């Protein structure tokens, strides 16, 4: 599986650790965003990188990290076809896949520690979409997108 990951400067350190974790599990990682943790880099640009990779098919799923996860998740969710889930724990990450078929996981380096972040990443990639009644709801999201995205 190919995973796109990007962050602003506030998510740089955690991004580096998540990349190592993903690569150790055999994922192909497309790394984007802040080139270092010291120079300012916008979460807008980082979110664009992840969302572009996922919508174009270059990546199967994505991970978006900023200070809180809020800004970057808002950017990602401006794309048609993106269901970016801002999560703060493993249960939320699991449910984002099972119930919402989320294709980008977002979180904040200033909000979660390394153990929680890696637990969310594992849950996000291990969990499958449940379909059924949840597919009806995801189809509803697509209908809203079709009405409001040009």
């Amino acid at each position: 599986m190919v995973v796109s990951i990007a962050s602003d400067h506030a998510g740089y350190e955690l991004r580096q650790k998540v990349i190592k974790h993903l690569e150790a599990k055999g994922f192909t990682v497309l790394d984007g965003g802040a080139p270092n943790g010291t120079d300012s880099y916008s979460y807008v640009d980082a979110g664009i990188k992840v969302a572009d990779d996922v919508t174009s098919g270059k990546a199967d799923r994505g991970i978006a990290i900023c200070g809180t996860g809020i800004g970057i998740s808002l950017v990602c969710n401006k794309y048609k076809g993106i269901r970016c889930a801002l999560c703060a724990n493993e249960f939320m990450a699991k449910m984002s896949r099972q119930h919402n078929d989320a294709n980008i996981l977002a979180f904040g380096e200033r909000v979660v520690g390394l153990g929680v972040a890696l637990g969310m990443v594992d849950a996000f990639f291990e969990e499958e979409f449940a379909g059924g009644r949840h597919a009806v709801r995801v189809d509803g999201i697509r209908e809203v997108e079709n009405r409001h995205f040009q």
Side-chain angles (χ1 to χ4, degrees):
M1 180 179 291
V2 178
V3 179
S4 176
I5 183 170
S7 73
D8 66 358
H9 58 281
Y12 175 82
E13 296 297 330
L14 189 53
R15 183 178 100 221
Q16 300 313 304
K17 293 171 183 169
V18 171
I19 289 168
K20 288 180 183 175
H21 181 75
L22 290 168
E23 289 176 340
K25 290 184 165 276
F27 290 94
T28 300
V29 178
L30 305 176
D31 182 17
N36 61 55
T38 57
D39 296 332
S40 181
Y41 189 90
S42 176
Y43 62 77
V44 174
D45 295 328
I48 288 168
K49 167 70 170 118
V50 175
D52 278 348
D53 284 351
V54 174
T55 58
S56 71
K58 190 174 176 182
D60 301 299
R61 290 193 205 149
I63 298 175
I65 308 169
C66 67
T68 63
I70 297 168
I72 201 165
S73 68
L74 292 172
V75 172
C76 291
N77 279 317
K78 296 298 181 188
Y79 281 69
K80 186 174 182 177
I82 293 295
R83 290 176 304 283
C84 178
L86 173 58
C87 297
N89 60 55
E90 191 174 322
F91 180 74
M92 291 174 75
K94 179 179 176 178
M95 291 298 102
S96 78
R97 287 288 309 131
Q98 191 179 102
H99 291 190
N100 310 113
D101 198 19
N103 49 15
I104 298 177
L105 170 65
F107 50 87
E109 180 170 332
R110 296 174 181 156
V111 177
V112 301
L114 178 60
V116 172
L118 297 182
M120 290 190 300
V121 167
D122 288 346
F124 187 75
F125 289 103
E126 291 168 4
E127 194 64 35
E128 295 295 326
F129 179 48
R133 65 188 168 114
H134 304 294
V136 173
R137 294 172 186 143
V138 171
D139 287 344
I141 293 169
R142 286 189 190 99
E143 288 175 20
V144 170
E145 286 178 340
N146 289 333
R147 281 198 309 266
H148 294 283
F149 281 83
Q150 299 303 318

